[in-house]
Amino acid sequence: QVQLVETGGGLVQAGGSLRLSCAASGRTFSGYAIGWFRQAPGKGREFVAGNSWSGGGTVYADSVKGRFTISRDNAKNTVYPQMISLKPEDTAVYYCAAGPTLSRLQIGVSIDYWGQGTQVTVSS
């Protein structure tokens, strides 16, 4: 069993930056692709970014390309999305998720574990 815990959310002004983190406990990330999703009020959960176990495969949603960078430290069982140039439309609860393959995780299937989420609010 893997527990995922997200931290780093908060309130930031438009144009600002935040660095989230997703830490695993109970088991390692070994072999898992890790992805980030977000859910804004009144909207469905959408994929934001993710990378494969090796870190060699990384994908981003078009809405965050060039602004979000995801990295992982497998030794620390932690994944870090760095978010810059934040916009009010980035306001959402951000969740990390773990699954066996990045391609399936990206479309929201075969997800084995979810974190509890962390709120990101971007003020205009």
Side-chain angles (χ1 to χ4, degrees):
Q1 188 75 12
V2 175
Q3 291 80 44
L4 303 177
V5 178
E6 304 96 332
T7 56
L11 174 64
V12 64
Q13 288 188 330
S17 62
L18 279 174
R19 188 192 195 207
L20 306 182
S21 66
C22 172
S25 62
R27 258 190 66 178
T28 70
F29 277 150
S30 179
Y32 283 103
I34 301 295
W36 284 84
F37 294 76
R38 66 185 181 187
Q39 186 165 19
K43 295 187 177 181
R45 194 171 294 187
E46 64 170 344
F47 174 81
V48 175
N51 62 6
S52 60
W53 155 245
S54 67
T58 303
V59 292
Y60 298 95
D62 288 343
S63 58
V64 305
K65 275 182 183 176
R67 300 189 298 119
F68 287 17
T69 302
I70 189 169
S71 61
R72 63 192 291 167
D73 185 337
N74 289 328
K76 296 182 178 180
N77 289 321
T78 305
V79 174
Y80 306 96
Q82 176 71 48
M83 310 184 295
I84 65 170
S85 303
L86 285 163
K87 306 174 183 179
E89 51 264 43
D90 293 319
T91 295
V93 178
Y94 284 72
Y95 300 88
C96 68
T101 66
L102 181 58
S103 59
R104 293 180 69 79
L105 185 147
Q106 181 181 359
I107 59 173
V109 299
S110 299
I111 295 175
D112 293 336
Y113 305 103
W114 287 97
Q116 84 289 348
T118 185
Q119 176 71 46
V120 172
T121 302
V122 184
S123 63
S124 57

